[in-house]
Every structure is written in C-alpha cells, then in structure tokens.
Amino acid sequence: MAPRGDGLLNHDLLPNEKGPQDACGVFGVWAPGEEVAKLTYFGLYALQHRGQESAGIATSNGEQLLVYKDMGLVSQVFDETALNALHGHIAVGHARYSTTGGSTWENAQPTLGATAGGTVALAHNGNLTNTAELVDLVAERYGAQRRGELARGNTTDTALVTALFAGDPDHTLEATAMEVLPRLRGAFSLVWMDEHTLYAARDPQGVRPLVLGRLERGWVVASETPALDIVGASYVREIEPGELVAIDADGLRTQRFTEKQQRAGCVFEYVYLARPDTTISGRSVHAARVEMGRRLAQEHPVEADLVIPVPESGTPAAIGYAQASGIPFGQGLTKNSYVGRTFIQPSQTLRQLGIRLKLNPLREVIRGKRLVVVDDSIVRGNTQRALIRMLREAGAAEVHVRISSPPVKWPCFYGIDFASRAELIANGLAVEEIGSSLGADSLGYISMDGMIAATEQPAAQLCTACFTGKYPIELPSQDRLGKHLLEQNELPLGNPEDGLVAIIPGAGGATALEHP
C-alpha cells in the first residue's frame, strides 16, 4: 500500500516560526453531462494555496452522495481511480487549513449529514466566532448526545453547521438553511449540496471571497476567480454578502437570509492570501500588490542599488517599489518551490540551516550591493532575521527591508491563523526596534492609508483587525474563542452515539455515504 500523508505540512522551516496560515478553499459545480469530480479536482488545484492539510470531494448522482477525502495535498489525495468513482452531476470540494479543530482526518471536509429528505455535504471557508453558542444550540435542539460527524470525532465549526442543517425533520434543507444562516457569526463562505441542488452562501460582511461562474452546461461557485478560469467557466459575479444561491434543474435562484450590513472584506486577501491572478470586488490582486509597492517606495525611500523580492509573495510589491523608486529590480533569491510543502520534518541539523531550505541567494547578483528587500508581512520575524543574515553572508553591503502591509499586531478570528498576540514581533516593539532586532539597516512598513488606497476599496468596507485590533464582527468572551474549542470536554455535547449516517471507510481515505 502506498504511504499516505499525515496532513502535517511543514511551513515552519525555522524553529518556532509560523507565518500567516491561509484560509480554506471551497468549490462547487452543478453541471449535468460533465465530469464534475474532475472539474472539482482542478478547481481545488487552483485553490491549493488556501489550504494544504486535507482535501475532499463529494458528488451526487441524484440518488446517492459519495465523498472521498484524506489528509494531504489535492494531488496526493486524488488519482484517476478515485475521481472516476465519483459519479454525478453535482459536486462540492474543499482544501483545508484548520482554523477551528485540529488537523485530523475526522476534520477533513466536506462534512456529511442525513436530512429528512436526503443527505447534505458541506464545505466551509472562514471561521465562526460563535462556535460555543452553536454548541449550545445543537444541544438544545437535538440533545447533548453527539450525532453525525460530531459523533465520529469531528471538532470543527463546519460540523456544527452541518448538524444544524441536517437535524430539522420538518423542513427542507433550503428552509432550514434560511433559518440557521442568520444564527452564524464570523466569516463563512459555504458551499453545500444535497442529492439534487447545489447551494452557496456568504456571511453578511463578505469577509472571505466567493464567486459565481457559468459553464456551457452548468454553474460553478469558488473561493477565487482562477478556479473558474481553470475549468473554463466565465465569471458572472460575486456571491453577495448575506446571499443564499441555489442551483438545480430549474435553474439558479437567490434570496437574502439577512438584511444588508456593513461590508468587511479581508484586506489581507489583497496583501497575501489570494492568488495574484485573482480579482476581488473588481480589483486585480496583482495590481493592488504592485500599487502597494509603489506607495511603499514613496513613503519609505532609500538610496540603494537593487530591489529584490522575497519570493513569491513579495514579488508584485517589489516590482512596484522598483518602478516608483527607479532602483533596478532583480532576482536576488532563488526559491525551491517544493520545500515548505513537504511532509518531512527537517532534522535539527537542517533546521540550523534555516531559510536555506527554501531560499538561496544569488551571490553574483547581490555581492557588494545595497539591497531593498520587499516582503508582504512580518509575523514573528524569525524568517526575516535569518534572511538578512544570509544576505549579509552572501556579500550584501546594506539590507533595507520594506513591508507591503502595516505591522501585524492582533490575531484574526475570521479564518487566518496568525501567531498569538504575544508572539507577534510588532506587538511589543517600535518599528526602529523591530529593524534593529532583525539586523536590517532600515525597516519601513506601508501605511494603513497606503495599503487601503492600493486595494481601491472604501476603507469602511474592509476588515483591518489584524493591524488595528478593531474587529468588525463582535467577538464573544475569550473563554468562548479558540481553535480547539470543540475539543474541550466541558462543552455541553455528550458522548458519541451512532450517527445519523453510516460512513464506510475505504482505501486511501475514501468514504461512501449510505443511509442505514
């Protein structure tokens, strides 16, 4: 039997270093006559940057739902045999990075539940802030005994939503969703389906992106526009905040599950999370990042010989910095694209080499040069510290660091897993102190106004909580927040019982769902 991944993808090439971990990627397709599982596979492939811990696809042939999910990258989880077994005309898919619940097979998505009229499979991008309240609601409505996915060890907010969607015997799935969605707080871009209908919904603030596309013979919903491009779907529009979309044999219909509220799109999607070829709210992410670099050059000029990016996330901003400053742009670092997406934990000897596992300097390019090094953000600072040391050892005369986002000082509760506030280097130090700690000759962050202007979005319609500490969606008390909230024994959900559906494990993590 071939070895299977454990989902422990290593981003942490330096001891105790943790960058901003991505949100998840969701994809859904309704397309009779198409190979929907393969369309979903390639859609998830385009969204792989949003989550690398697990991947899953559920399909419906109108009579039965099948789901296949496992730990690992999309290309590691699926092969031709698995995809060919997933028949149907509807599919939903998910690429996961954990923000509620640990990185385990039980927490992989799509999640499943048996409804009064069939089955529901659900995929979620974002993070709910009222998870503890939803635990109380599940216990109040259906008893404290854990059922469905919760009974099988799932500890995610997605499993709670699935339990609420699936548990009402007196209403259709759509009617139940219209009742449950207004009860959810936080960030959620949801894609789900039953045997006949594909659904999508977005939280009232529109924190995470979600878009609608048209196929010749169907419809697609996805986290980002490149997932539409890769399957040949034409962009139609964004799913609106507070909107529920349903697609079935009668076509597409839409309704609002809440009144319009103040938008709060995540500004960090423009800075780092989204692919550069994505368009969000009409603005090209690549163009926004280049403009951030231009404004950074205007705000923090310096005499230097070469502008180099920290690949790949710093590249667009470095291009903009070079354009605005007149300093030549160069590739001073070469990246090993496969390290940082590995299941193998580096030995201590390799860890001592630190960032060289991922980046190596082009000595002939940087030797004797005064460098401007452009990156998207600083979290703990360990990566930048090791990078600056490496550049100096390679002969750089000066190293001036420029960052295309303001200092990250606050945690995110809406789907990005930053380090804790105590670990954020900008939380306790002034900019000059951070620069000194990193060993840089100078350090400059873009201003909040400069970053927001580059997005071309109204400041009032963006969430900037990780920079300002001003959270647009009210947070509960600290004891009712946290990634591992549902793994705490004191929550009012009792011991597992037999679930509402039977999950039959198969080779490589395949699962088939049948009604008992």
Side-chain angles (χ1 to χ4, degrees), residues 47 64 126-127 146 152 177-178 218 220 225 247 282 296 381 403 418 441 462 477 481:
L47 299 171
Q64 181 189 49
N127 193 58
R146 294 176 187 250
R152 290 182 288 276
M178 285 295 292
V220 175
T225 54
I247 302 165
L296 189 55
I403 304 297
F418 282 119
D441 290 285
L462 290 171
S477 60
L481 279 170

Side-chain angles (χ1 to χ4, degrees), residues 219-349:
W219 298 88
V220 175
V221 289
S223 291
E224 296 185 36
T225 54
L228 305 182
D229 299 335
I230 200 172
V231 300
S234 58
Y235 173 81
V236 176
R237 62 176 177 86
E238 289 191 352
I239 304 294
E240 289 296 315
E243 181 184 20
L244 168 62
V245 171
I247 302 165
D248 59 18
D250 295 325
L252 182 147
R253 60 187 180 275
T254 178
Q255 55 187 319
R256 295 197 61 83
F257 60 84
T258 184
E259 295 179 359
K260 286 196 174 184
Q261 300 182 26
Q262 181 65 51
R263 287 190 69 144
C266 173
V267 74
F268 216 76
E269 294 279 356
Y270 293 95
V271 172
Y272 172 78
L273 289 181
R275 281 175 50 147
D277 51 340
T278 288
T279 299
I280 302 176
S281 298
R283 177 60 163 161
S284 157
V285 169
H286 179 266
R289 291 174 185 170
V290 171
E291 181 62 22
M292 287 174 196
R294 291 195 191 102
R295 291 176 179 271
L296 189 55
Q298 294 163 2
E299 293 177 3
H300 296 284
V302 65
E303 290 188 9
D305 304 308
L306 191 67
V307 177
I308 67 170
V310 177
E312 305 292 337
S313 57
T315 300
I319 291 170
Y321 194 101
Q323 289 174 350
S325 66
I327 302 169
F329 173 88
Q331 293 287 353
L333 296 162
T334 184
K335 180 183 179 182
N336 179 349
S337 299
Y338 299 95
V339 175
R341 294 289 183 266
T342 175
F343 287 91
I344 306 302
Q345 297 291 331
S347 68
Q348 183 57 34
T349 300

Side-chain angles (χ1 to χ4, degrees), residues 55-386:
I57 295 174
T59 60
S60 168
N61 60 9
E63 298 179 359
Q64 181 189 49
L65 257 64
L66 294 175
V67 62
Y68 190 105
K69 58 187 179 181
D70 207 349
M71 306 303 290
L73 301 175
V74 175
S75 60
Q76 293 168 319
V77 170
F78 297 100
D79 56 20
E80 287 278 352
T81 302
L83 293 172
N84 288 336
L86 293 169
H87 302 293
H89 65 289
I90 316 175
V92 298
H94 189 265
R96 183 173 190 252
Y97 176 79
S98 56
T99 52
T100 292
S103 180
T104 63
W105 186 90
E106 290 77 11
N107 288 343
Q109 297 183 34
T111 51
L112 296 165
T115 68
T119 314
V120 59
L122 184 142
H124 172 208
N125 167 215
N127 193 58
L128 301 181
T129 57
N130 65 331
T131 299
E133 179 185 315
L134 297 178
V135 169
D136 296 337
L137 183 61
V138 169
E140 171 192 321
R141 290 188 174 182
Y142 309 120
Q145 200 77 2
R146 294 176 187 250
R147 308 196 306 172
E149 291 266 350
L150 296 169
R152 290 182 288 276
N154 193 313
T155 57
T156 67
D157 49 359
T158 313
L160 287 171
V161 177
T162 306
L164 290 168
F165 277 8
D168 188 342
D170 300 320
H171 296 90
T172 65
L173 175 59
E174 189 169 337
T176 302
M178 285 295 292
E179 190 273 327
V180 169
L181 289 170
R183 305 290 296 265
L184 308 182
R185 298 288 179 270
F188 57 91
S189 288
L190 300 173
V191 178
W192 72 99
M193 67 183 211
D194 59 15
E195 281 78 359
H196 306 288
T197 309
L198 175 69
Y199 298 94
R202 194 174 177 200
D203 68 75
Q205 288 76 25
V207 178
R208 300 272 152 241
L210 190 64
V211 294
L212 175 69
R214 191 77 165 100
L215 289 167
E216 185 178 344
R217 292 191 286 181
W219 298 88
V220 175
V221 289
S223 291
E224 296 185 36
T225 54
L228 305 182
D229 299 335
I230 200 172
V231 300
S234 58
Y235 173 81
V236 176
R237 62 176 177 86
E238 289 191 352
I239 304 294
E240 289 296 315
E243 181 184 20
L244 168 62
V245 171
I247 302 165
D248 59 18
D250 295 325
L252 182 147
R253 60 187 180 275
T254 178
Q255 55 187 319
R256 295 197 61 83
F257 60 84
T258 184
E259 295 179 359
K260 286 196 174 184
Q261 300 182 26
Q262 181 65 51
R263 287 190 69 144
C266 173
V267 74
F268 216 76
E269 294 279 356
Y270 293 95
V271 172
Y272 172 78
L273 289 181
R275 281 175 50 147
D277 51 340
T278 288
T279 299
I280 302 176
S281 298
R283 177 60 163 161
S284 157
V285 169
H286 179 266
R289 291 174 185 170
V290 171
E291 181 62 22
M292 287 174 196
R294 291 195 191 102
R295 291 176 179 271
L296 189 55
Q298 294 163 2
E299 293 177 3
H300 296 284
V302 65
E303 290 188 9
D305 304 308
L306 191 67
V307 177
I308 67 170
V310 177
E312 305 292 337
S313 57
T315 300
I319 291 170
Y321 194 101
Q323 289 174 350
S325 66
I327 302 169
F329 173 88
Q331 293 287 353
L333 296 162
T334 184
K335 180 183 179 182
N336 179 349
S337 299
Y338 299 95
V339 175
R341 294 289 183 266
T342 175
F343 287 91
I344 306 302
Q345 297 291 331
S347 68
Q348 183 57 34
T349 300
L350 288 174
R351 278 187 176 275
Q352 289 171 356
L353 297 175
I355 203 166
R356 290 181 188 275
L357 288 169
K358 190 171 186 179
L359 299 171
N360 213 30
L362 294 166
R363 287 173 173 78
E364 68 280 4
V365 173
I366 66 176
R367 187 178 296 116
K369 299 285 179 53
R370 298 171 296 172
L371 302 178
V372 178
V373 180
V374 181
D375 205 352
D376 61 90
S377 60
I378 300 177
V379 181
R380 282 188 175 94
N382 294 337
T383 298
Q384 286 82 6
R385 190 175 295 114

